PDB file of all heavy atoms in Angstrom:
ATOM      1  N   ALA A 394      -3.112  -0.488  11.783  1.00 93.00           N
ATOM      2  CA  ALA A 394      -4.478  -0.936  11.359  1.00 93.00           C
ATOM      3  C   ALA A 394      -5.349   0.322  11.662  1.00 93.00           C
ATOM      4  O   ALA A 394      -5.039   1.130  12.588  1.00 93.00           O
ATOM      5  CB  ALA A 394      -4.826  -2.202  12.184  1.00 93.00           C
ATOM      6  N   PRO A 395      -6.503   0.364  11.055  1.00 90.00           N
ATOM      7  CA  PRO A 395      -7.266   1.546  11.247  1.00 90.00           C
ATOM      8  C   PRO A 395      -8.052   1.708  12.621  1.00 90.00           C
ATOM      9  O   PRO A 395      -8.200   2.725  13.061  1.00 90.00           O
ATOM     10  CB  PRO A 395      -8.475   1.321  10.177  1.00 90.00           C
ATOM     11  CG  PRO A 395      -7.802   0.298   9.157  1.00 90.00           C
ATOM     12  CD  PRO A 395      -6.996  -0.580   9.847  1.00 90.00           C
ATOM     13  N   THR A 396      -8.205   0.603  13.378  1.00 85.00           N
ATOM     14  CA  THR A 396      -8.844   0.613  14.574  1.00 85.00           C
ATOM     15  C   THR A 396      -7.933   0.012  15.670  1.00 85.00           C
ATOM     16  O   THR A 396      -7.032  -0.841  15.460  1.00 85.00           O
ATOM     17  CB  THR A 396     -10.187  -0.122  14.586  1.00 85.00           C
ATOM     18  OG1 THR A 396      -9.930  -1.514  14.400  1.00 85.00           O
ATOM     19  CG2 THR A 396     -11.102   0.348  13.491  1.00 85.00           C
ATOM     20  N   GLY A 397      -8.292   0.449  17.042  1.00 83.00           N
ATOM     21  CA  GLY A 397      -7.643  -0.157  18.031  1.00 83.00           C
ATOM     22  C   GLY A 397      -7.739  -1.634  18.189  1.00 83.00           C
ATOM     23  O   GLY A 397      -6.744  -2.257  18.505  1.00 83.00           O
ATOM     24  N   ARG A 398      -8.911  -2.228  17.968  1.00 83.00           N
ATOM     25  CA  ARG A 398      -9.085  -3.616  18.068  1.00 83.00           C
ATOM     26  C   ARG A 398      -8.241  -4.346  16.948  1.00 83.00           C
ATOM     27  O   ARG A 398      -7.686  -5.373  17.277  1.00 83.00           O
ATOM     28  CB  ARG A 398     -10.639  -4.040  17.941  1.00 83.00           C
ATOM     29  CG  ARG A 398     -11.407  -3.593  19.168  1.00 83.00           C
ATOM     30  CD  ARG A 398     -12.711  -4.356  19.083  1.00 83.00           C
ATOM     31  NE  ARG A 398     -13.325  -4.029  20.336  1.00 83.00           N
ATOM     32  CZ  ARG A 398     -14.333  -4.694  20.791  1.00 83.00           C
ATOM     33  NH1 ARG A 398     -14.845  -5.726  20.168  1.00 83.00           N
ATOM     34  NH2 ARG A 398     -15.125  -4.384  21.924  1.00 83.00           N
ATOM     35  N   ALA A 399      -8.275  -3.879  15.760  1.00 88.00           N
ATOM     36  CA  ALA A 399      -7.453  -4.373  14.730  1.00 88.00           C
ATOM     37  C   ALA A 399      -6.044  -4.282  14.819  1.00 88.00           C
ATOM     38  O   ALA A 399      -5.290  -5.252  14.675  1.00 88.00           O
ATOM     39  CB  ALA A 399      -7.811  -3.807  13.306  1.00 88.00           C
ATOM     40  N   ALA A 400      -5.513  -3.296  15.479  1.00 89.00           N
ATOM     41  CA  ALA A 400      -4.056  -3.078  15.779  1.00 89.00           C
ATOM     42  C   ALA A 400      -3.826  -4.130  16.844  1.00 89.00           C
ATOM     43  O   ALA A 400      -2.710  -4.725  16.811  1.00 89.00           O
ATOM     44  CB  ALA A 400      -3.738  -1.600  16.360  1.00 89.00           C
ATOM     45  N   LYS A 401      -4.605  -4.237  17.845  1.00 87.00           N
ATOM     46  CA  LYS A 401      -4.324  -5.241  18.957  1.00 87.00           C
ATOM     47  C   LYS A 401      -4.230  -6.580  18.379  1.00 87.00           C
ATOM     48  O   LYS A 401      -3.356  -7.404  18.770  1.00 87.00           O
ATOM     49  CB  LYS A 401      -5.403  -5.162  20.016  1.00 87.00           C
ATOM     50  CG  LYS A 401      -5.353  -6.053  21.264  1.00 87.00           C
ATOM     51  CD  LYS A 401      -6.435  -5.904  22.271  1.00 87.00           C
ATOM     52  CE  LYS A 401      -6.207  -6.853  23.463  1.00 87.00           C
ATOM     53  NZ  LYS A 401      -7.391  -6.637  24.449  1.00 87.00           N
ATOM     54  N   ARG A 402      -5.181  -7.038  17.500  1.00 88.00           N
ATOM     55  CA  ARG A 402      -5.093  -8.343  16.965  1.00 88.00           C
ATOM     56  C   ARG A 402      -3.808  -8.576  16.057  1.00 88.00           C
ATOM     57  O   ARG A 402      -3.201  -9.574  16.070  1.00 88.00           O
ATOM     58  CB  ARG A 402      -6.349  -8.578  15.950  1.00 88.00           C
ATOM     59  CG  ARG A 402      -7.535  -8.822  16.832  1.00 88.00           C
ATOM     60  CD  ARG A 402      -8.406  -9.728  15.987  1.00 88.00           C
ATOM     61  NE  ARG A 402      -8.468  -9.521  14.594  1.00 88.00           N
ATOM     62  CZ  ARG A 402      -9.199  -8.686  13.943  1.00 88.00           C
ATOM     63  NH1 ARG A 402      -9.996  -7.780  14.632  1.00 88.00           N
ATOM     64  NH2 ARG A 402      -9.158  -8.524  12.605  1.00 88.00           N
ATOM     65  N   LEU A 403      -3.472  -7.521  15.494  1.00 92.00           N
ATOM     66  CA  LEU A 403      -2.257  -7.531  14.506  1.00 92.00           C
ATOM     67  C   LEU A 403      -0.938  -7.755  15.534  1.00 92.00           C
ATOM     68  O   LEU A 403      -0.108  -8.474  15.136  1.00 92.00           O
ATOM     69  CB  LEU A 403      -2.136  -6.339  13.783  1.00 92.00           C
ATOM     70  CG  LEU A 403      -0.860  -6.174  12.796  1.00 92.00           C
ATOM     71  CD1 LEU A 403      -0.715  -7.319  11.805  1.00 92.00           C
ATOM     72  CD2 LEU A 403      -0.809  -4.831  12.185  1.00 92.00           C
ATOM     73  N   ALA A 404      -1.013  -7.238  16.668  1.00 92.00           N
ATOM     74  CA  ALA A 404       0.129  -7.239  17.499  1.00 92.00           C
ATOM     75  C   ALA A 404       0.101  -8.727  18.119  1.00 92.00           C
ATOM     76  O   ALA A 404       1.234  -9.336  18.269  1.00 92.00           O
ATOM     77  CB  ALA A 404       0.081  -6.307  18.829  1.00 92.00           C
TER      78      ALA A 404
END
Side-chain angles (χ1 to χ4, degrees):
T396 67
R398 287 193 175 200
K401 183 179 179 183
R402 285 212 323 276
L403 179 60

